[in-house]
Amino acid sequence: MSSGKSGLKLVSLNRGHDPREFALVAFGGGGGLHAAALAAELGCRKVVIPRGAAVFSAWGMMMSDLRRDYFVTRVIDAEGEAASPLAALVAEVTAAAIGTFGAEGIEVARLAFRRLVRCRYQNQEHAVEIPLEDGAIDTAALAALVRDFHAAHEREYSYRLAAPVEIVGLHLVATAAIEKLAFVDQPVTGAALEAARKGTRAVDFAELGVHPSAIYDALRLEPGMEIDGPAIIEDPGTTIVLHPGNRATIDRFGNVQIDLGAGAAS
């Protein structure tokens, strides 16, 4: 476990994020088992286990807009008369996207496009994707693209060159909005927390030792209920572990929000 936790922390820091400023969202069948320990290692103060965590990925797919990515390689000298050929390329790929979505019965009014132009310094191997603003592709738009490329290259590679810039391709992201599922408040009957308790058993929390822990039925938990660790919440699709010092609160949507308390790293 320690190597996994260290790896998660390293990836977060390398991307410029301080984990202490974020809540950790854990899902899947095994996410709730390890979330509190991982969050403590990262220094997070809060963990969120979504209701229906075991099928959260499927839920996410149902909430995602339709999307297609189009990649076309074409070399254009950005320092020359590039506005016209770039505009023609964007129009060509946009028309192809509209045609593909149209064949599936999705009208153009539902579509949104994000234009990304792959640029590089002339004769350079690697390229950087630069957003191309909506609107006409003219000399001013091209100059803004080149300016943004220099800034992005310096940000990613720590330097910029006084060298010609060339376009090497287009990445067009086409999305179609879909109707989204609505969050629903969970019912509150006023039942006591004890009604959801299934019993008590000894649980080994590794370096924290063995502790008698209350076991709760997730299906009988209601918004507003609070559970102090050490405890185990058993759901048909996942298991949530509350370490000593943790406190879980069930929010209005049935999500389990865990305050790590003394279990959080400083």
Side-chain angles (χ1 to χ4, degrees), residues 74-80 82 86 117-128 130 142 145-146 149-150 163-169:
R74 192 164 301 175
V75 179
I76 303 171
D77 181 7
E79 303 294 335
L86 179 58
V117 180
R118 293 183 57 79
C119 301
R120 70 183 182 189
Y121 288 116
Q122 201 170 69
N123 299 321
Q124 194 173 41
E125 181 179 354
H126 56 271
V128 179
I130 306 300
L142 191 63
L145 180 73
V146 172
F149 164 74
H150 285 297
V165 177
E166 62 183 5
I167 295 166
V168 294

Side-chain angles (χ1 to χ4, degrees), residues 80-162:
E81 299 297 323
S84 179
L86 179 58
L89 175 60
V90 170
E92 173 191 330
V93 180
T94 301
I98 292 172
T100 300
F101 278 102
E104 298 177 350
I106 300 172
E107 60 273 17
V108 67
R110 291 176 56 191
L111 300 181
F113 299 97
R114 184 166 180 245
R115 310 180 301 189
L116 301 164
V117 180
R118 293 183 57 79
C119 301
R120 70 183 182 189
Y121 288 116
Q122 201 170 69
N123 299 321
Q124 194 173 41
E125 181 179 354
H126 56 271
V128 179
E129 281 194 346
I130 306 300
L132 179 63
E133 297 298 329
D134 293 336
I137 301 174
D138 52 20
T139 302
L142 191 63
L145 180 73
V146 172
R147 181 191 66 236
D148 293 344
F149 164 74
H150 285 297
H153 191 282
E154 184 173 20
R155 184 172 60 251
E156 293 190 24
Y157 296 100
S158 75
Y159 68 94
R160 64 174 68 196
L161 298 176

